[in-house]
Amino acid sequence: MKQISDKIQNSRPASIILTIWALCGFPLLCQLFTEWVRIGEWHETVRAFVRQLPLALLGTVVLSLIMTGIYILSRRIWISTLVVGLLMLTGSFVNFYKITYRGDPLLPKDLLLAVDAAKISSGLGLKLTYQMGFFFFFVALSVCVLLPVRSVFAKKGWKAFGARVLICLVPAALCGVYLKTVLWNKKVQTHFGVDTSQFYPMQSYQKAGFVTAFLMYFGALEPAVPEYYSPETVQAAAAALPVGEHSTQKRPDVVVVMLESYYHLDNLPGLVCDTDLTKNYDRYAKEGISGDYIPDKYSGGTESMEFGALTGFSTSFLPTGSIPYMEYVNGEFPCYPRFMKEQGYKTIALHSFDLSIYRRNEVYPAMGFDQVYGRDDFVSPAMHGNFIDDTETARKVISLYEDATADGSSVFMHTVTVQNHIPNQPGEYPEDYSVNITMPGISDYSAQSLKSVATGLRDVDDAIGILLDYFSQSDRDVVVLIFGDHQTAIGDQEGKELLDELPEFTQLSDEEKELRTHHAPYLMWSNFETRNAETAGAMPPYQLLATMLKDYNVVRPAWFDWLADTTTTLKGVNLGRVIEPDGTVGGIVAGANEKQWKVLHQQKILQYNAMFGDGSAKQRMYQ
């Protein structure tokens, strides 16, 4: 080995050839290995990569320029190989597990969640796959081969280093120009069938490969200004909002509860359970308004649904992969909690987990919450794994509510639970505590994971019963919105989950799979007005609170009034599609009819102005 090393070190042609291979061949092969990690099957990976090759070559240019810059600075080609190799290894690992648990790939905006993801993933038991092992071996072998390669930048010292820094500006400038003129060019993206504005980017990643798609989405981080946006169109849109008649609106206490990973297991054919997992939900649905809505995400991204419900803002109008709490909610942010605070209500937020996740410790005050409580405010709560039991959270809600209303004040209270958070692995609950389930044709691992999920869902239903039983006996008027944030992946193992074992699911089209995994229940109920098992149909998250407030005639701003009124034209947009007035998911947004376009155009203008513009419409929106 030493003889080979000496020959490479003393041979200038060999050094040049290996350097060229490192700068060109290595980044291309790294992309092949990244796709292998994602896909799993080697032959399928090769076929997919051949189709991706033109776009993979576009991504290779950027990686080569990055490696060139590191090489110039460090004078060692093996260092640039090691740095880029480790970045690609890390990216392939995170991308694989994000797809596994969330169903969508790693996006540039996900980098904002690096710290939060590390806190949550510590309990997931993530393991390396053998594909990742081969990838690591390839990187390590490449570095070892390149260790003896001579550098063309032989001089040492500060002057030489300064010169290399100046030379580095060349590949940096070329990289910037290349990104702007090629990878971020809409015409280039359209030519290759990549659409960075689509809500779910998996198709783009499958066409372009991880590196090229990731870099393309880097060029779409900023919110797009709506078409025809101007002071005049903002003023016209604001003027068209309804005038709030607060004197005729009811002023009960308003309680919102978002339940982690709460949904009904009706998408699992053949499931038999010895426990009624929805008895309390069903009991109160007979007195209220209930149904399924369409969440933004699958198996994660809780804050997107929370943000939509509390603000009435659509994440469909934000850059793909946006994380509003991490990016946009600062200062005095316009939303319903702030409106209620201005109406004289006490505003309380409770999350039974770490408040630093999604910056809730900063976001909640920015949204107008006067009192904010988190995991540390519970005293010796019952736990399941790392998470506080949802029934404990229900009792905490009641305790905080009683304290807040003791002086007769009106209250707006928002709660987020956490018990049913992934990983939902086998054995999360003691055997004598767990519900019993049977489901034919699935693996034992999936069956045991499903058992954990079902047990958690039973506890969630118990929490619903505790809350609504309490409020049904209250002598104060209360209106309650309860909704699950999203469905959750069950039995994740080596990139596969329970749904991947079911022919009834795997035989569906990609569109049908998306719709099957993007619905979760909601329940709107009050103790002062009984409904006869009504439904408001399917809707996006941003219509949930607006719809409930309108239906029960609860005090609300003009913005929420307008949103509820628009449901006769469309229920909203989500998953890149129009939700029709009857709740069915229609065609893509580009195919909306003229009336729907008019509503969406006004909605985009007002939301953009409130979030990113001069805010001139906010007073009218929240009057």
Side-chain angles (χ1 to χ4, degrees):
M1 187 69 183
K2 187 177 185 304
Q3 291 177 341
I4 296 173
S5 176
D6 290 341
K7 286 183 179 180
I8 293 174
Q9 195 168 18
N10 296 322
S11 171
R12 189 171 185 82
S15 294
I16 292 174
I17 290 171
L18 286 173
T19 300
I20 293 173
W21 174 84
L23 295 176
C24 300
F26 177 78
L28 185 63
L29 288 175
C30 278
Q31 293 180 75
L32 173 62
F33 277 101
T34 298
E35 294 307 299
W36 189 28
V37 169
R38 176 180 67 84
I39 296 172
E41 298 293 334
W42 177 251
H43 294 296
E44 186 180 343
T45 299
V46 172
R47 286 195 296 269
F49 194 70
V50 168
R51 293 193 297 269
Q52 295 172 357
L53 191 56
L55 280 159
L57 290 172
L58 294 182
T60 300
V61 174
V62 176
L63 293 179
S64 297
L65 289 170
I66 292 172
M67 290 183 68
T68 299
I70 298 172
Y71 172 46
I72 292 171
L73 281 177
S74 67
R75 301 171 52 247
R76 297 291 186 270
I77 190 63
W78 69 265
I79 293 179
S80 62
T81 303
L82 178 63
V83 171
V84 170
L86 290 178
L87 284 174
M88 292 292 293
L89 268 170
T90 304
S92 68
F93 177 86
V94 176
N95 186 58
F96 173 79
Y97 276 108
K98 184 162 185 266
I99 291 172
T100 298
Y101 282 103
R102 295 276 298 275
D104 55 359
L106 178 68
L107 291 162
K109 286 180 175 287
D110 291 327
L111 300 179
L112 296 169
L113 287 174
V115 175
D116 289 358
K119 292 178 182 178
I120 295 172
S121 62
S122 60
L124 299 183
L126 304 183
K127 299 177 181 178
L128 295 176
T129 64
Y130 77 87
Q131 292 90 345
M132 295 174 191
F134 272 99
F135 193 174
F136 177 82
F137 176 76
F138 166 71
V139 173
L141 180 63
S142 300
V143 170
C144 290
V145 170
L146 294 169
L147 276 172
V149 171
R150 292 169 52 188
S151 172
V152 296
F153 303 97
K155 292 184 179 181
K156 300 179 181 180
W158 287 108
K159 288 185 178 180
F161 179 75
R164 292 200 302 275
V165 171
L166 291 175
I167 296 172
C168 267
L169 296 178
V170 176
L174 289 174
C175 188
V177 171
Y178 177 78
L179 286 170
K180 188 172 183 179
T181 59
V182 180
L183 292 186
W184 296 347
N185 188 304
K186 289 294 183 183
K187 291 182 179 179
V188 173
Q189 294 177 6
T190 302
H191 174 75
F192 286 106
V194 176
D195 182 4
T196 55
S197 65
Q198 67 178 16
F199 197 71
Y200 283 91
M202 194 64 197
Q203 291 180 349
S204 294
Y205 274 66
Q206 290 171 341
K207 290 178 181 178
F210 172 73
V211 172
T212 304
F214 188 85
L215 292 170
M216 285 180 168
Y217 277 89
F218 244 116
L221 297 178
E222 295 300 317
V225 179
E227 191 176 13
Y228 307 119
Y229 183 84
S230 69
E232 291 75 24
T233 56
V234 171
Q235 184 178 6
L241 294 174
V243 177
E245 296 291 341
H246 300 328
S247 61
T248 64
Q249 295 171 352
K250 299 173 184 175
R251 301 178 66 87
D253 296 327
V254 181
V255 177
V256 176
V257 181
M258 185 173 72
L259 301 165
E260 171 64 43
S261 298
Y262 177 65
Y263 68 110
H264 299 159
L265 297 176
D266 50 11
N267 62 343
L268 300 179
L271 173 67
V272 177
C273 183
D274 70 347
T275 303
D276 185 350
L277 302 180
T278 62
K279 63 179 181 180
N280 291 307
Y281 174 92
D282 294 339
R283 179 161 58 98
Y284 281 101
K286 293 176 182 178
E287 304 173 4
I289 303 169
S290 64
D292 280 358
Y293 82 103
I294 302 174
D296 300 344
K297 306 287 186 180
Y298 173 65
S299 201
T302 296
E303 62 90 50
S304 289
M305 284 62 76
E306 181 181 8
F307 170 82
L310 294 178
T311 64
F313 294 149
S314 171
T315 55
S316 295
F317 301 153
L318 302 175
T320 303
S322 287
I323 308 166
Y325 279 6
M326 303 295 291
E327 300 177 82
Y328 310 131
V329 182
N330 297 291
E332 294 188 356
F333 196 81
C335 58
Y336 188 69
R338 181 163 295 283
F339 168 81
M340 292 296 271
K341 178 179 179 178
E342 293 168 354
Q343 293 294 313
Y345 276 64
K346 287 184 179 178
T347 50
I348 304 169
L350 168 66
H351 181 35
S352 52
F353 196 55
D354 185 348
L355 285 173
S356 68
I357 302 294
Y358 288 121
R359 290 181 58 238
R360 285 188 176 95
N361 55 330
E362 301 174 44
V363 166
Y364 284 159
M367 297 178 82
F369 286 105
D370 290 322
Q371 302 176 38
V372 177
Y373 300 91
R375 178 176 58 188
D376 294 341
D377 295 296
F378 287 76
V379 179
S380 301
M383 303 286 290
H384 287 293
N386 295 323
F387 306 126
I388 293 175
D389 190 306
D390 279 3
T391 58
E392 288 281 348
T393 303
R395 295 185 182 96
K396 185 69 173 178
V397 169
I398 294 170
S399 174
L400 292 174
Y401 176 80
E402 289 181 340
D403 289 345
T405 57
D407 61 359
S409 298
S410 297
V411 171
F412 172 77
M413 189 169 184
H414 168 65
T415 301
V416 181
T417 70
V418 74
Q419 178 182 339
N420 246 20
H421 199 282
I422 55 176
N424 296 314
Q425 293 173 334
E428 282 198 5
Y429 299 91
E431 189 64 29
D432 60 356
Y433 185 84
S434 301
V435 302
N436 293 312
I437 61 100
T438 58
M439 187 172 175
I442 64 175
S443 67
D444 181 65
Y445 185 89
S446 292
Q448 294 302 317
S449 297
L450 177 57
K451 187 174 184 177
S452 293
V453 170
T455 303
L457 292 177
R458 178 207 56 199
D459 290 354
V460 176
D461 192 65
D462 287 345
I464 293 174
I466 290 170
L467 281 174
L468 297 188
D469 286 349
Y470 170 80
F471 287 122
S472 67
Q473 299 299 316
S474 175
D475 58 1
R476 297 173 61 91
D477 286 350
V478 184
V479 62
V480 183
L481 168 64
I482 294 174
F483 63 101
D485 58 353
H486 51 69
Q487 295 185 31
T488 189
I490 301 173
D492 282 321
Q493 194 175 38
E494 297 181 354
K496 304 292 183 181
E497 63 154 307
L498 172 58
L499 291 178
D500 297 318
E501 298 181 33
L502 305 179
E504 298 89 347
F505 183 79
T506 57
Q507 293 171 5
L508 298 175
S509 67
D510 289 343
E511 178 185 329
E512 290 171 326
K513 289 178 181 177
E514 185 174 83
L515 294 177
R516 180 76 68 86
T517 55
H518 285 79
H519 61 85
Y522 63 83
L523 172 60
M524 304 167 184
W525 174 90
S526 81
N527 63 358
F528 57 83
E529 184 176 338
T530 300
R531 300 300 182 94
N532 186 23
E534 296 177 19
T535 182
M539 65 188 79
Y542 64 84
Q543 285 283 14
L544 285 169
L545 187 53
T547 297
M548 183 187 76
L549 298 173
K550 180 78 171 184
D551 283 0
Y552 285 98
N553 193 30
V554 177
V555 61
R556 57 197 179 274
W559 172 239
F560 274 45
D561 228 3
W562 179 82
L563 284 174
D565 288 345
T566 63
T567 58
T568 57
T569 302
L570 78 165
K571 282 294 184 69
V573 292
N574 215 354
L575 311 183
R577 296 183 174 275
V578 171
I579 305 171
E580 301 291 348
D582 63 359
T584 59
V585 179
I588 59 175
V589 175
N593 63 43
E594 186 176 349
K595 287 185 178 180
Q596 291 171 339
W597 265 118
K598 185 176 180 181
V599 168
L600 293 175
H601 181 61
Q602 183 177 354
Q603 186 178 350
K604 286 180 182 180
I605 285 177
L606 290 172
Q607 178 173 321
Y608 185 88
N609 181 264
M611 290 186 66
F612 311 112
D614 61 10
S616 57
K618 282 194 290 189
Q619 184 176 357
R620 182 72 178 82
M621 292 169 69
Y622 284 90
Q623 71 174 19

